[in-house]
Amino acid sequence: MMWNGRSKALLLGMLLCCWCEGAWANLVANGSFEQVEQGRASGWAQLWTREPGQGEAALDKEVRHGGNYSVRIEHRGTLDWSLSSEKRLDVKSGDLFTIQGWVKTKGTGSTTIGVIAYDANGKAVDWTLGGRSAAGVSRWLLLRSRFVIPRNVTAIHPRLIGNGPATVWLDDFSLVKQGNVKEMRSKDTPQRLTIGNAAISLTVNTADASLLVKDNRTGRIWRQQPSGEGGILRIAKVAEHIEMTLLDGSSGMDIGVVLRLEPERPEFTVTLSGEGELETALRFPGPFVTKAGTYLVVPMNEGISYPVEDKTITTRRLVAYGGHGICMAFWGVTDGEQGQMAIIETPDDASIRIKRLDGNLCIGPEWDSQKGRFGYTRRLRYVFFEKGGHVAMCKRYREYAKQIGKFKTLAQKRKENPNVDLLIGAVNVWCWEADALAIVREMKAAGIDRILWSNRKSPEVIKAMNEIEGVLTSRYDIYQDLMDSKVAAEKLRGLHPDWTQGGWPGDIMLDAKGDWRKGWRVKGKDGEMYPCAVLCDKQALKFARQRVPEELKTHPYRCRFIDTTTASPWRECYHPDHPMTRGQSRHWKMELLRYMSEDAKLVTGSETGHDAAVPFVHYFEGMLSLGPYRIPDAGRQMARIWDEVPERVAKFQVGHKYRLPLWELVYHDCVVAQWYWGDYNNKLPAIWEKRDLFNMLYGTPPMFMFRKDFWNENKDRFARSYSNVCSFARMVGYSEMTDHIFVTADRAVQQTKFANGAAVLVNFGDKPYRLPNGKEVKPMGFYVWEKK
C-alpha cells in the first residue's frame, strides 16, 4: 500500500488519540511477570485448583518468552485449575477487546486464556469469554482473540485456566481495549435497510445485524434473534442486494456479508466471507423466532418434527457433515402450511444448533472452521412458503439436489447394474447361523421371496444363493478402523478381518495436535476398552482396490455393505503425507462408494446415511433409525432382543407424533432406507407391529436379525411382516413419494402418496378410522390404494 503525507498524518493522529485515551494500554497488571514481590508476581492471585494441593505457580527464569520471567504452573490433578489477575475490570456493552498470551505446555492437560464475564449482579454468565486454548505445544505459541462485550455484561476478569495434568508456562499476557462497536460504525449508517421483490421484503436492522422478512403473499412477519454481540460497521445497498461488514462478537472477526434476493422467488441467499483464524464457530445469521403452534422440521436421519413449545425436547447441535447430524443440508419451521426453510449450500464445515428463545425451540446455523481458519466463502439460502409445510420444503430441496448433481434415481442405477432390482422390496436379513442355505430355503417356503442376505459366507454358499430367485448376496466391509498390532497381540482376543491393518501407522488420520484419531473401541482380554485408529479417508480407496477385486474372483457377491462411511463425520487430517480438509474427506468417502458401485459393480449400502452419497449408493442401513433415540449400546448388542421398550424409543423412535418422512419425500426413488442393524423390526417385539406400519407408510422394506431359535418361534410373525410390508415396498420402490398427510389432528392417522398412483393410509391410533369410501381401517392397521 502506498501512503501519502495526509494518510500518514491521519494514521498518526488515530494512534495518538488511542494512546492518549488508554485504548491500547495493557489492562492486565504485570502481564509480563517482571514485577516481583516476595518471590511471586505482583498483581496475580494465588493458583486455584479443583483438587486441593495438586498444583503450584512460580516464576521461571529459565523458560521465558520475553524479559526475565514467565510464570510456570505445575498441575498434577486430573480436573481444572485457574490463575487469575487480581483485578476485575468494568466494561460496557459493545466494548471490543484483544486478549493474547504466549504459552508452552508439557503433559496431557490443556490450557486456555480468556476472561470471566459478570453481569450487574456479579453473576458469572460466561467463564471463558474470548477463550483460546492449547495443549501439547512444546514451543512458544501465541494465543490471541478479539471479542465484544455482550449486552448483559458489566465486568470481566482476565485469567489463565487449564484442565488435567500438565506443566504450563505463560508470558507476555495482555488485554487491550480497541474501542466500542457503536463508536466504530460509519456515522451515516441507516437504522434499517430494505430490499424486496413481489413475494418477500428483507430488512436489515443495522443496530444488531438481525433480519426481518415479510411474506407479501400472506402478510406474515419472520423476525430473527440477533446472532450475538458485535454489529455492522458498514452497510450499503448495491443494485438489488445488500453488502455489509459485520464485526462478529465471539470471534472478533470482520465478516463480509452479501444478502441477495432471487428476483422472482420468495428466497434470498446469505454469503459470508472472512480472513483469519476461527477458533469458535461463527453463529450468523441468528435463528428466526418461532411461535407456539409451529414445529421444527429437522432432517435428522429419516426426519423428525419438534413442536416448538415442547419442553421435553433436548436442545442439541447437529453437524451437516456426517450421518449422525442432519442427513440433508436444510432445516425449517412451519405451522403445517406457511413456513420457512434454510438450505445450507456449503455444508462441509457447517452445523445447526437447536436452542430455545423465550421458551420456544428454534434453529440457527453455525459455521465451523476449515483447519482453524474461516477458509472459503459460506452460503445459506432462505426459502419462504405460503402453503405446503414440510412437504413443500422437501420438494424445494429435491429441486436443489437435482441442480447440484446429488440426484440419481434407482431406475437410473438399475440400468447400470440390473442386480439393483433384487434390492427393491427385499427384506434385509442379518443371521449368523452356520447353515445359511437352510435358513434361506425356510424363508422362501414361508413366502419370504425377496431377501438381501447381508452376512458373509463361503464361495459355495454364495453361488448357491445366487441361483435362488430373489436373493441378493452381500457382506459387511469397513474402511475406517485399524489397530496397533502390538496392542492387538497383547490386549485383544484377535483382529477384525476387515480392519485395514496395512495402514498402521503411515495411513492413519492425525488431528491438529498430531495425535492419531480414535475410532471404534474394542474390549480387551482384561476388560478394558482399546480404541482403534481411524484410517485417513484419502488412503481408504487403495485398500478397497486391493481387497475387493481379489475376493470377487472366488466369492461372487452381488452387493456390499460399507460400514461407517456415511455415518461418521467428514474429518480433517493433519498427517503431513496425506493432509485433508472436511470437504476433501467427503470427496474421498464418496470415491470409495463410487468405486464399489461403479467400478466393482456391486449393489452398495452404507451406514446411517447422508445425501452426499446418493449418486453412489443404493441403500442405507440406519436411515430409518433416528440416531439419538435408539436403544442403549445399539451398535454392540445387535442380536439381543429387548422385552421392555425404553421411553425414548417409544416416544421418538416410533413416535408417530414426531416422526416425518423427510428422506422419502426427497430421495425415496433414489436410495432405499432401512432400519439400523441394532434397531431392526423384530428388535423389540412389543413395537414390531408399529415398525412395520412405518415401513408401510414410508414404502420401505423391513430388516430382520435373528438366531435360529427365534426364527423357529416366530416364523409366522416374520412371514406376516414381510407379506404386509414388502409387496407395497416393491410396488412403490422406484417411485417418488409425492405427499405426506396428517389425516387426523393427533397425527394418529397418516397417508403417503407416490408418483405411480399408489398410496397407503396407516392408523397408529387405538380406534378405527373410517375412509370416505366407507371402509374401516382398524387400530394399528393400514389401507393400500394400488398403483394406477
Side-chain angles (χ1 to χ4, degrees), residues 97-101 103 110-117 125-135 141-150 156-162 173-175 248-253 277-281 372:
F97 288 92
T98 296
I99 188 171
Q100 70 177 43
V103 299
S110 62
T111 191
T112 300
I113 64 168
V115 302
I116 307 173
V125 295
D126 191 333
W127 293 97
T128 53
L129 181 63
R132 291 294 182 268
S133 302
L141 174 69
L142 178 64
L143 297 180
R144 183 179 186 273
S145 77
R146 295 170 78 202
F147 62 94
V148 178
I149 299 299
I156 58 175
H157 197 169
R159 62 177 184 160
L160 176 76
I161 62 175
F173 183 54
S174 65
L175 178 71
D248 177 55
S250 59
S251 67
M253 183 182 291
E277 294 181 358
L278 185 65
E279 179 142 340
T280 59

Side-chain angles (χ1 to χ4, degrees), residues 379-406:
R379 191 168 57 252
L380 188 68
R381 175 179 298 271
Y382 287 100
V383 186
F384 298 83
F385 299 90
E386 58 180 332
K387 61 181 180 179
H390 66 270
V391 175
M393 294 177 191
C394 289
K395 296 311 170 185
R396 178 63 184 94
Y397 188 77
R398 181 179 168 98
E399 176 191 354
Y400 172 73
K402 291 179 179 179
Q403 291 172 345
I404 64 173
K406 279 186 179 179

Side-chain angles (χ1 to χ4, degrees), residues 76 102 135 204 228 376 398 427 547 576 603 677 699 728 743 784:
R76 298 175 293 278
W102 290 87
V204 181
Y376 56 94
R398 181 179 168 98
V427 57
R547 178 183 296 171
V603 178
W677 74 342
F728 187 70
V743 179
V784 170

Side-chain angles (χ1 to χ4, degrees), residues 595-635:
Y595 171 78
M596 295 294 174
S597 61
E598 296 180 11
D599 294 358
K601 300 193 181 307
L602 293 164
V603 178
T604 302
S606 193
E607 184 192 356
T608 302
H610 191 284
D611 75 341
V614 166
F616 313 110
V617 301
H618 305 96
Y619 69 99
F620 285 128
E621 282 194 17
M623 181 58 75
L624 292 182
S625 298
L626 309 178
Y629 306 120
R630 298 172 184 173
I631 63 167
D633 221 4

Side-chain angles (χ1 to χ4, degrees), residues 11 75 113 145 227 370 426 463 495 554 655 689 721 724 775:
L11 178 63
H75 185 248
I113 64 168
S145 77
S227 60
Q370 183 188 52
K463 291 173 185 176
L495 289 169
T554 56
E689 189 173 12
S721 179
N724 287 344
K775 294 189 177 181

Side-chain angles (χ1 to χ4, degrees), residues 323-568:
H324 289 294
I326 52 174
C327 298
M328 298 179 286
F330 76 90
W331 77 87
V333 61
T334 179
D335 60 9
E337 288 293 339
Q338 298 178 19
Q340 62 88 11
M341 73 180 295
I343 299 174
I344 308 172
E345 296 191 355
T346 51
D348 284 341
D349 298 281
S351 304
I352 66 170
R353 184 172 294 277
I354 303 172
K355 58 187 251 184
R356 283 189 173 83
L357 289 174
D358 298 326
N360 287 341
L361 294 168
C362 60
I363 299 179
E366 296 193 352
W367 306 100
D368 297 331
S369 71
Q370 183 188 52
K371 289 205 159 182
R373 302 186 65 80
F374 187 94
Y376 56 94
T377 299
R378 317 301 180 95
R379 191 168 57 252
L380 188 68
R381 175 179 298 271
Y382 287 100
V383 186
F384 298 83
F385 299 90
E386 58 180 332
K387 61 181 180 179
H390 66 270
V391 175
M393 294 177 191
C394 289
K395 296 311 170 185
R396 178 63 184 94
Y397 188 77
R398 181 179 168 98
E399 176 191 354
Y400 172 73
K402 291 179 179 179
Q403 291 172 345
I404 64 173
K406 279 186 179 179
F407 199 84
K408 188 175 183 180
T409 66
L410 287 162
Q412 291 173 302
K413 296 169 185 177
R414 180 183 56 187
K415 289 180 180 179
E416 298 171 357
N417 183 353
N419 287 329
V420 170
D421 193 59
L422 292 170
L423 177 69
I424 308 304
V427 57
N428 189 345
V429 176
W430 284 97
C431 177
W432 284 266
E433 293 298 325
D435 194 349
L437 271 176
I439 294 290
V440 169
R441 287 170 180 148
E442 286 187 34
M443 294 182 77
K444 295 285 284 187
I448 301 175
D449 294 323
R450 305 183 67 80
I451 300 168
L452 166 59
W453 185 268
S454 288
N455 193 24
R456 73 175 77 202
K457 284 298 169 185
S458 67
E460 296 74 25
V461 172
I462 299 165
K463 291 173 185 176
M465 284 190 181
N466 287 343
E467 293 174 1
I468 301 174
E469 184 179 357
V471 177
L472 178 61
T473 50
S474 184
R475 68 95 128 187
Y476 171 98
D477 203 358
I478 187 170
Y479 295 89
Q480 173 178 282
D481 296 318
L482 62 163
M483 181 65 74
D484 183 341
S485 296
K486 183 179 179 182
V487 171
E490 295 178 358
K491 303 295 184 180
L492 304 185
R493 293 178 177 86
L495 289 169
H496 193 288
D498 295 320
W499 286 346
T500 51
Q501 288 302 107
W504 186 279
D507 294 324
I508 64 176
M509 195 180 293
L510 302 183
D511 63 19
K513 301 175 187 176
D515 296 332
W516 51 278
R517 291 197 182 275
K518 310 300 189 292
W520 185 250
R521 302 175 72 84
V522 182
K523 182 178 285 190
K525 293 179 286 189
D526 56 2
E528 296 294 321
M529 302 299 288
Y530 295 92
C532 290
V534 173
L535 182 72
C536 181
D537 298 312
K538 201 172 186 177
Q539 305 302 95
L541 188 56
K542 68 179 181 181
F543 290 98
R545 286 174 171 156
Q546 293 167 9
R547 178 183 296 171
V548 176
E550 196 63 28
E551 183 184 52
L552 290 178
K553 291 177 182 177
T554 56
H555 296 67
Y557 293 109
R558 293 171 174 171
C559 179
R560 209 171 188 95
F561 170 70
I562 311 302
D563 198 13
T564 75
T565 297
T566 52
S568 60

